[in-house]
Amino acid sequence: MARTLTLAAIQFSPSDDVQDNITRVAGFIREAAAKGADVILPPELFCGHYFCKTQEEEHFARAMEWQDHPAVRQYSELAAELGVVIPVSIYEKDGPLYFNSIVIIDADGALLGVYRKSHIPDGPGYQEKFYFRPGDTGFRTWSTLKGRIGVGICWDQWFPEAARAMALMGADALLYPTAIGAEPQDAGLDTAARWRRAMQGHAVSNVIPVVAANRVGDEGGQVFYGTSFITDETGEIVGDLGRQEEGVLVASFDLDKIDQARAAWGFFRDRRTDLYEILI
Amino acid sequence: MARTLTLAAIQFSPSDDVQDNITRVAGFIREAAAKGADVILPPELFCGHYFCKTQEEEHFARAMEWQDHPAVRQYSELAAELGVVIPVSIYEKDGPLYFNSIVIIDADGALLGVYRKSHIPDGPGYQEKFYFRPGDTGFRTWSTLKGRIGVGICWDQWFPEAARAMALMGADALLYPTAIGAEPQDAGLDTAARWRRAMQGHAVSNVIPVVAANRVGDEGGQVFYGTSFITDETGEIVGDLGRQEEGVLVASFDLDKIDQARAAWGFFRDRRTDLYEILI
């Protein structure tokens, strides 16, 4: 029997009300499941506005322990009901430590664990180093009931090292929840095209499908550009969304066919690990 | 004074006559120099037909010591005359060792040294593991009179590790001489789009211009697809050539502006070398 994996991205415009967001994203999860999705990815930190625009002490109160987060608890039940895998992006508190994290919920509702964003950006409009300790979990892949997935978080998506690491760990697909849009220091700077190119490159170099789920909407002057997409294992975009619409993207992949193509391409056969010391 | 670097790619259909190829490529080098190019890149192994289509003992006789190669000797004089940098792709013999190598000729004609292709492909139509020992030089960058360049060779171009290594070593631009085209095992397989995407990804992730110079033409049934290109530091293609034409591509870059953009993007600031052990 062919191993098929159906991936979905949710593009979403959050309010700043946690339960409202959880409820509305649940609607999109149901829509994606109805379209046959096995793994359904909401955007980064979808439970509220993107608070990292400025440095405000009060925003630390948004963080919670990952097992207790209402999105995790509610989506655990939803995942079991629908039989789908849901990577849930949250602001995580672990004692005095704060992380930008993803909790992986398996298709039976089991909580498989947490990955903490490894690469933390910092720039005008994206003050993440104030809020998040660089992740201490290392890159992870998750053997779900539907397939083995690797999930990076936003800034991770620009780093070929993260994609390669997850591919080396056996990922069948790479997923990136995201919050990206306008650059306040330069109104003319639109990074959408290069954002796609970076991840299309990961798809090619690792012969692996890639999913990117971004937010949309204007959050107090900061506009997020959507353009969520799914690529196949050649980096070709097989589905995408616009810059303003909310919605769901779904695409199916034959994992056995991709495994065979990955082997025949020989990238993993021919890597020169003896020459890569400079990378670390 | 702004540091400007003007890069050129030559797209070329070789005969199987060494001197004929050297002479014709010299014409393209003069054309590129007349258009202001500082660094001029001919395709991979341009001195003859792509002999790796099959495994034939006689082809080992094509290899020479790099200092003695007629292309190196003649282009050393040409580089000095025109004041241009020329990376020269050759089949290199070093005692009992055979490499797929590039010799870097500086703009005063000096021979800066040799890089030996690190990643060696092997597949129908591209039997390179029969002919070439995997390179033992490691990745290198070259501080030329015109700027610091990194040069990978063909299959290297698919590996984000090689691009990252050269960027970490201070390259201002990445150049890839290439010989790629039809896949004899699958007449319907056209890899041109993903070939571009892989290198566009390197440009984005390293905030660096990328040049790819491919051959064209039908060599006994093996057709090379050209589509040579130059990207800017966002991965956008700023110039390209078709699938059959010979010719020259030229594009200029403001290295100071790119350095500043590379710093502001923060990719090199935020790399997590403590998490990259799996890559080696």
Side-chain angles (χ1 to χ4, degrees), chain A residues 117-123 129 134-139 155 158-162 164-166 168-169 180 183 189 191 193-195 197-198 200-202 204-206 232-237 264-280, chain B residues 117-123 129 134-139 155 158-162 164-166 168-169 180 183 189 191 193-195 197-198 200-202 204-206 232-237 264-280:
Chain A
K117 185 173 180 173
S118 301
H119 301 97
I120 307 295
D122 212 50
K129 289 194 196 295
D136 59 1
T137 57
F139 309 110
W155 196 233
W158 299 90
F159 292 79
E161 293 91 345
R164 182 68 102 197
M166 293 188 283
L168 284 166
M169 296 164 78
I180 193 167
E183 302 285 335
L189 177 58
T191 64
R194 76 188 86 177
W195 175 70
R197 286 182 201 124
Q200 289 178 285
H202 304 334
V204 175
S205 299
N206 297 290
D232 68 14
E233 76 282 5
T234 77
E236 184 172 333
I237 290 175
W265 270 88
F267 296 147
F268 291 88
R269 176 193 65 197
D270 296 335
R271 294 181 73 241
R272 291 293 305 276
T273 51
D274 56 320
L275 302 181
Y276 295 164
E277 192 74 33
I278 189 175
L279 300 177
I280 64 167
Chain B
K117 185 173 182 173
S118 300
H119 302 96
I120 307 295
D122 212 50
K129 289 194 195 296
D136 58 2
T137 57
F139 308 110
W155 196 233
W158 298 90
F159 292 79
E161 294 90 346
R164 183 67 106 199
M166 293 188 282
L168 284 167
M169 295 164 78
I180 192 168
E183 301 286 337
L189 176 58
T191 63
R194 75 188 86 177
W195 176 70
R197 288 182 201 122
Q200 290 178 282
H202 304 333
V204 175
S205 300
N206 297 291
D232 68 15
E233 76 282 6
T234 78
E236 185 172 334
I237 290 175
W265 269 88
F267 296 147
F268 291 88
R269 176 193 66 197
D270 296 336
R271 294 181 73 240
R272 292 294 304 277
T273 50
D274 56 321
L275 302 181
Y276 295 165
E277 192 72 34
I278 189 175
L279 300 177
I280 62 168

Side-chain angles (χ1 to χ4, degrees), chain B residues 55-73:
Chain B
Q55 301 185 353
E56 310 288 345
E57 195 174 304
E58 67 191 32
H59 291 317
F60 286 97
R62 294 169 180 258
M64 294 181 211
E65 292 188 26
W66 67 269
Q67 294 93 337
D68 296 336
H69 197 288
V72 172
R73 286 189 286 104

Side-chain angles (χ1 to χ4, degrees), chain B residues 12-26 46-47:
Chain B
F12 177 65
S13 177
S15 70
D16 209 25
D17 179 308
V18 175
Q19 189 54 50
D20 171 60
N21 291 318
I22 293 174
T23 302
R24 287 198 292 137
V25 166
F46 64 89
C47 282

